[in-house]
Amino acid sequence: GGYYFDNDLVLLRDVRQHIHGAASLASVLEYLDKRNAVQAFLAAAPRHPVIAEALHLCFLWYRRGNSMQPDTLPGLMGPVTLGRALRRWLSVDFFEHVGFHRWSPMITGRDTTSALADGVHLFEERDDLMHYALERRNFSWVGCNLVIADEGDAIAWVRDC
């Protein structure tokens, strides 16, 4: 458990003030594929089942000997595996919105006695830097020049790639 941020992220605000109080996990909804969650920005309660599932999916990926080829994994492995684990935990096929997502303790197999809070807070990736008075940088990679936002506030942005 704890907070993790890639070293190319510049935090612009205290993220703890933006994470919903009932969230046991926080991440970012990926800009290009709303089924994925960005692992470069994470907050999690200790021993969170989504993190365990994402790590298990990564283990299975490497155990099968797969290479990082687009035809075998659509997207980057981190966001794909974290998104898949998170969607399984929330029992959804895709994320309909950013903000707080509550999970239902009525889901079969879910540990209803868990000390975990009631849901997940998802921030969003955005590419409209000028809206946040940030300058676009000359990088070609898709992960550059993105803002992590919450209800109109820029929380972080990619420093460089």
Side-chain angles (χ1 to χ4, degrees):
Y3 296 89
Y4 171 80
F5 308 104
D6 273 4
N7 66 0
D8 62 349
L9 285 179
V10 175
L11 296 180
L12 303 171
R13 301 189 187 283
D14 184 345
V15 297
R16 297 171 298 181
Q17 295 176 2
H18 290 268
I19 297 173
H20 191 283
S24 60
L25 183 92
S27 186
V28 179
L29 188 60
E30 189 181 51
Y31 174 68
L32 293 175
D33 189 338
K34 301 303 184 201
R35 295 172 300 160
N36 298 337
V38 178
Q39 85 290 351
F41 182 108
L42 265 175
R47 293 173 289 289
H48 200 286
V50 170
I51 302 301
E53 175 71 6
L55 289 171
H56 180 71
L57 291 170
C58 288
F59 167 76
L60 292 176
W61 174 259
Y62 285 114
R63 185 172 157 194
R64 284 191 302 260
N66 294 341
S67 62
M68 296 299 286
Q69 297 176 7
D71 58 330
T72 57
L73 184 69
L76 297 173
M77 185 175 65
V80 170
T81 55
L82 182 59
R84 188 173 295 157
L86 184 53
R87 289 191 320 273
R88 283 182 184 174
W89 192 62
L90 291 171
S91 294
V92 299
D93 294 325
F94 61 93
F95 304 111
E96 296 181 18
H97 61 86
V98 295
F100 185 66
H101 293 255
R102 186 174 301 279
W103 63 271
S104 171
M106 304 305 286
I107 297 169
T108 304
R110 182 64 49 83
D111 179 8
T112 58
T113 63
S114 171
L116 292 176
D118 291 335
V120 174
H121 188 102
L122 288 176
F123 295 95
E124 67 177 323
E125 272 186 331
R126 300 180 56 121
D127 70 344
D128 52 346
L129 271 67
M130 292 182 64
H131 176 80
Y132 301 100
L134 298 170
E135 290 187 32
R136 185 166 299 279
R137 296 174 184 198
N138 292 325
F139 295 105
S140 59
W141 191 65
V142 69
C144 300
N145 290 312
L146 294 174
V147 171
I148 295 172
D150 184 45
E151 298 180 7
D153 289 330
I155 305 301
W157 73 304
V158 178
R159 177 181 66 207
D160 58 22
C161 295

